Amino acid sequence: MTLEHVYLPDSWVLSVDTGESHVCFVLDAVLQPEHPRYYWPPKPGEQYAYARIRWCWTGVVHWNDGPHLDRPAIDANGEHDFGSIDSWIGTGDSDHIEGEFGAVLITHGRQTIEYLDP
């Protein structure tokens, strides 16, 4: 699976799990109309079509800033919220992911994506 047709800047980071060789984000991911799980209209109280996903990276993890996991916002549903994925830049064998949660560089990384809702 890929993040094709997922719009990260408006997706919400609900949790971040990190260690020396992994970082995993649980997202309420915004689905674009081309995504196979896209639905219309959005559910009551939502602006977009969403899917809950777990996006994990294994590799060499280096936090350039953060992680800032001790001060999450609380969303309208009472869940923790760490903002969105502001940028994801992949160059060669490294990926740089940045948001309110911090800035992380993953080298020699491999990503997996798991959809958590039906």
Side-chain angles (χ1 to χ4, degrees):
M1 290 187 218
T2 69
L3 289 179
E4 186 175 21
H5 306 301
V6 170
Y7 186 66
L8 290 175
D10 283 341
S11 298
W12 298 106
V13 177
L14 302 179
S15 69
V16 180
D17 176 42
T18 187
E20 290 181 14
S21 62
H22 79 278
V23 62
C24 292
F25 302 94
V26 173
L27 305 171
D28 264 346
V30 172
L31 306 178
Q32 296 174 323
E34 301 81 10
H35 194 282
R37 293 177 182 246
Y38 181 81
Y39 56 86
W40 187 260
K43 294 175 184 173
E46 294 184 346
Q47 181 179 1
Y48 301 108
Y50 290 93
R52 181 130 331 161
I53 64 172
R54 180 177 291 117
W55 181 32
C56 293
W57 285 87
T58 56
V60 179
V61 173
H62 174 74
W63 285 90
N64 297 325
D65 176 35
H68 304 294
L69 306 179
D70 58 340
R71 48 185 190 268
I74 305 296
D75 70 13
N77 296 326
E79 293 183 289
H80 287 167
D81 173 350
F82 295 95
S84 62
I85 305 286
D86 295 334
S87 68
W88 170 27
I89 301 168
T91 55
D93 199 20
S94 64
D95 288 86
H96 181 265
I97 302 168
E98 189 168 339
E100 290 178 33
F101 50 84
V104 62
L105 176 69
I106 304 110
T107 56
H108 310 291
R110 186 178 65 85
Q111 65 176 315
T112 60
I113 298 161
E114 174 187 7
Y115 284 83
L116 303 175
D117 51 4

